[in-house]
């Protein structure tokens, strides 16, 4: 398989050449195509092989976000035989999708890297949730890739077109596709978003039909699927790993386990891009720092009162904005603690060096 088929281009070529010029090792480029519990499978131009992260990269990485993930382009030292390759570096990324790690306020979790498009999958069944779509949009906009809302299971809804129009209202400027992976209706429209060399990722909770959609795009039952629970329309975790698939005719799609928690992460969380309609209304508020609470002349609250803006959408915007502000405060506090520890360490090292010098004299 050629590297170009996997999305290799001039930017990655330049980065790899620069890395190679500074290294004494014999390295080759490859892309991470499978990730399962820390095990990585990497595709190079000539072979597919397991790889483990070099100790130096593990120790020098400032955090888990600097370590390789699915979709990454990496520099490998190949084994002499059939053993594991050694992964020495991750090439600069673009289009990085990440979330706050479940159960943590300080740590992020990478979902996929080097993305062109993020498909936000939501099932048109009892699990449909507009607020979750808004949250997923904020994450997608933060990635730098283009978001596309994919409404699956259109065959189960009597009026999928009207629901798609409703989603278009809460996703200004974002394409909304209603399709059925079961019947194949609308799937070709999604395929058009993944021409040769482009990479997409499916983001959605368990039970929305992501694996069924991947199988339809591949033209074969590559991934196992399960029915959702009848009592609550929630899915089971059928997929337990992340994998990059090369689709027939070009383009790549990454699928992984369903996610129920989508905590905001990153400096640019995409909240403003998700709620451009509210920001446009806010431009008409009497005060430039209006918080849309009880201030007089608030154009946003007036729009809610007039029925032009759903109160639930404003509440969602405020909730995500508060969450992002809290996360920023936590990040700043963590950074300050790290800086203080670093300064104490430097002071101690200086004191030890000075005492050692006095002893020698």
């Amino acid at each position: 398989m050629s590297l170009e088929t996997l999305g290799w281009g001039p930017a990655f070529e330049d980065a790899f050449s620069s890395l190679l010029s500074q290294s004494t090792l014999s390295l080759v480029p490859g892309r991470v195509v499978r990730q399962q519990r820390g095990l990585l499978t990497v595709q190079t131009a000539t072979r597919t092989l397991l790889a483990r992260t070099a100790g130096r990269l593990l120790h020098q990485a400032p955090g888990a976000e600097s370590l390789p993930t699915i979709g990454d382009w990496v520099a490998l030292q190949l084994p002499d035989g059939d053993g594991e390759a050694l992964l020495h570096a991750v090439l600069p990324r673009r289009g990085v999708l990440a979330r706050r790690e479940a159960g943590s306020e300080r740590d992020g979790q990478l979902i996929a890297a080097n993305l062109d498009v993020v498909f936000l999958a939501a099932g048109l069944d009892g699990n449909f949730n507009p607020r979750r779509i808004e949250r997923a949009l904020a994450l997608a906009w933060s990635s730098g890739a283009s978001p596309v809302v994919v409404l699956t299971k259109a065959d189960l809804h009597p009026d999928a077109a009207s629901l798609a129009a409703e989603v278009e209202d809460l996703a200004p400027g974002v394409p909304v596709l209603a399709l059925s992976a079961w019947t194949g209706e609308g799937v070709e429209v999604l395929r058009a978003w993944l021409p040769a060399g482009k990479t997409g990722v499916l983001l959605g909770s368990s039970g929305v039909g992501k694996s069924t959609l991947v199988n339809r795009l591949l033209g074969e039952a590559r991934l196992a699927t399960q029915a959702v629970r009848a009592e609550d329309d929630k899915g089971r975790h059928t997929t337990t790993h992340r994998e990059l698939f090369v689709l027939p005719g070009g383009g790549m799609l990454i699928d992984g386990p369903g996610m129920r928690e989508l905590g905001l992460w990153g400096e640019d969380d995409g909240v403003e891009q998700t709620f451009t309609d509210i920001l446009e209304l806010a431009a008409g508020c009497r005060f430039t720092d209006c918080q849309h609470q009880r201030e007089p002349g608030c154009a946003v609250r007036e729009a809610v009162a007039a029925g032009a803006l759903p109160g639930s959408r404003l509440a969602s915007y405020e909730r995500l904005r508060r969450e992002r502000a809290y996360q920023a405060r936590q990040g700043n506090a963590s950074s300050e603690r790290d800086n203080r520890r670093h300064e104490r360490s430097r002071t101690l090292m200086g004191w030890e060096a000075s005492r050692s010098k006095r002893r020698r004299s």
Side-chain angles (χ1 to χ4, degrees):
M1 181 180 295
S2 71
L3 294 182
E4 287 72 22
T5 301
L6 292 170
W8 185 255
F12 297 121
E13 177 71 41
D14 291 344
F16 182 74
S17 297
S18 176
L19 175 67
L20 207 58
S21 67
Q22 303 173 39
S23 176
T24 59
L25 301 173
S26 178
L27 302 174
V28 300
R31 193 170 192 189
V32 179
V33 296
R34 184 181 172 98
Q35 181 181 23
Q36 183 173 26
R37 296 179 181 178
L39 294 176
L40 300 175
T41 301
V42 179
Q43 177 71 55
T44 70
T46 59
R47 58 196 292 197
T48 304
L49 66 170
L50 289 175
R52 59 185 174 88
T53 306
R56 184 175 182 180
L57 178 57
L58 284 171
H59 293 307
Q60 291 184 346
E65 292 173 272
S66 300
L67 297 176
T69 189
I70 187 76
D72 266 330
W73 284 99
V74 296
L76 296 171
Q77 183 180 14
L78 298 179
D80 293 331
D82 296 328
E84 295 179 338
L86 202 56
L87 196 157
H88 285 277
V90 177
L91 299 187
R93 298 160 169 153
R94 58 176 179 77
V96 181
L97 183 64
R99 68 167 179 170
R100 188 182 70 248
E101 187 172 350
S104 172
E105 296 293 342
R106 296 177 51 187
D107 300 318
Q109 179 189 21
L110 292 178
I111 299 173
N114 297 311
L115 302 171
D116 298 289
V117 58
V118 179
F119 296 110
L120 310 175
L124 294 181
D125 52 13
N127 201 25
F128 179 76
N129 186 340
R131 305 287 78 82
R132 180 177 175 82
I133 292 176
E134 291 169 338
R135 176 176 288 274
L137 276 169
L139 282 181
W141 280 122
S142 297
S143 73
S146 300
V148 175
V149 178
V150 178
L151 303 178
T152 62
K153 305 184 181 182
D155 55 304
L156 299 181
H157 197 280
D159 192 2
S162 64
L163 200 54
E166 178 183 327
V167 174
E168 288 175 353
D169 289 338
L170 59 86
V174 177
V176 178
L177 313 179
L179 55 81
S180 169
W182 182 257
T183 66
E185 178 186 358
V187 173
E188 291 306 312
V189 179
L190 183 149
R191 191 190 299 271
W193 281 87
L194 293 174
K198 299 299 183 181
T199 304
V201 64
L202 282 168
L203 180 66
S205 58
S206 299
V208 300
K210 296 189 287 87
S211 296
T212 304
L213 179 55
V214 172
N215 286 339
R216 170 67 69 170
L217 290 166
L218 290 172
E220 59 178 299
R222 189 88 62 88
L223 296 178
T225 60
Q226 291 189 55
V228 298
R229 299 196 299 254
E231 63 270 21
D232 58 8
D233 284 314
K234 291 184 178 179
R236 304 169 177 87
H237 287 284
T238 306
T239 303
T240 59
H241 65 278
R242 293 190 177 96
E243 188 166 358
L244 182 149
F245 299 94
V246 179
L247 305 178
M252 291 149 284
L253 186 60
I254 296 173
D255 183 36
M259 297 182 180
R260 290 197 175 92
E261 292 187 40
L262 295 176
L264 300 183
W265 188 254
E267 295 183 3
D268 177 16
D269 56 42
V271 172
E272 291 189 354
Q273 288 173 284
T274 302
F275 295 92
T276 55
D277 53 340
I278 294 180
L279 296 181
E280 290 174 0
L281 288 170
C285 292
R286 181 183 301 178
F287 303 107
T288 56
D289 60 346
C290 182
Q291 298 300 304
H292 320 308
Q293 298 298 322
R294 295 181 177 83
E295 299 91 339
C298 175
V300 175
R301 301 298 302 182
E302 290 173 0
V304 173
L309 176 70
S312 57
R313 181 160 173 79
L314 176 59
S316 180
Y317 169 65
E318 295 293 348
R319 181 166 53 251
L320 294 180
R321 196 168 65 164
R322 286 194 300 270
E323 179 179 329
R324 182 63 190 94
Y326 174 76
Q327 180 195 335
R329 291 195 299 272
Q330 292 293 102
N332 290 337
S334 176
S335 178
E336 290 176 3
R337 287 193 295 269
D338 291 342
N339 288 337
R340 286 197 296 269
R341 282 195 293 268
H342 182 62
E343 287 300 322
R344 284 197 298 269
S345 177
R346 289 182 59 184
T347 301
L348 181 60
M349 290 174 63
W351 180 77
E352 289 288 354
S354 177
R355 187 173 68 170
S356 176
K357 183 177 181 180
R358 289 197 302 270
R359 285 175 177 174
R360 288 196 301 269
S361 61

